Amino acid sequence: MSRRDAETFLANHPLPDQPTPLPDLTPYLQALPAAKTPAEVSAITHQLVDATAPALDHIASHFIAVALWAGTEHRHTPQSVRLLREAAVSIRTALAKVAQADLENLRANYAPPTANAEPTRATTPTATTSPGPTAPRHTPGSRR
């Protein structure tokens, strides 16, 4: 019924009925297997985010505009407003998470270990660690 009710509106405001063209990710996908270092993967990631962020932000902005829409007779339900805002935030958060993941990878490969970092057992044996493998302990409640 809603499609029928919107027919006159769409006749007066024609909108594209085909999906918008997708960005060509082929160069990024082809470059990724050739990347050998975290810096090279980071460069690909940054290029992809820079190329797609404007479109994703534009879509998120549209969802916010839809959430804020106030017709003369109707308004969105509080639930739909919340869902639209969450969708917009999710899009923007995805970009931030990609940047954070990239930074974590770079830190792991480029940042020197801190002086107060606790040594791991695998790299620094102590007097309390045994030199060889030990059998796993079985407790009455455990399942292995």
Side-chain angles (χ1 to χ4, degrees):
M1 290 181 11
S2 69
R3 289 183 188 161
R4 182 198 67 214
D5 291 347
E7 285 177 358
T8 303
F9 175 82
L10 289 175
N12 293 328
H13 303 279
L15 300 171
D17 60 354
Q18 297 297 315
T20 58
L22 293 174
D24 183 11
L25 300 182
T26 304
Y28 307 99
L29 294 171
Q30 288 176 340
L32 192 56
K36 302 295 183 217
T37 68
E40 293 168 350
V41 172
S42 179
I44 296 166
T45 302
H46 278 272
Q47 291 290 327
L48 179 59
V49 168
D50 289 347
T52 58
L56 294 173
D57 189 59
H58 192 67
I59 292 167
S61 295
H62 178 76
F63 291 159
I64 293 294
V66 171
L68 297 175
W69 168 81
T72 56
E73 297 176 10
H74 304 287
R75 295 181 184 267
H76 287 298
T77 65
Q79 175 73 355
S80 67
V81 169
R82 183 183 63 76
L83 291 170
L84 286 162
R85 288 178 186 243
E86 285 177 5
V89 168
S90 293
I91 291 169
R92 290 178 172 148
T93 302
L95 294 173
K97 285 183 178 184
V98 168
Q100 183 180 359
D102 182 56
L103 183 58
E104 289 294 320
N105 284 332
L106 290 175
R107 278 188 184 140
N109 286 278
Y110 288 100
T114 58
N116 62 355
E118 189 177 310
T120 62
R121 292 179 190 221
T123 58
T124 319
T126 63
T128 59
T129 59
S130 65
T134 60
R137 285 189 282 173
H138 177 64
T139 58
S142 69
R143 292 179 158 163
R144 283 207 170 223

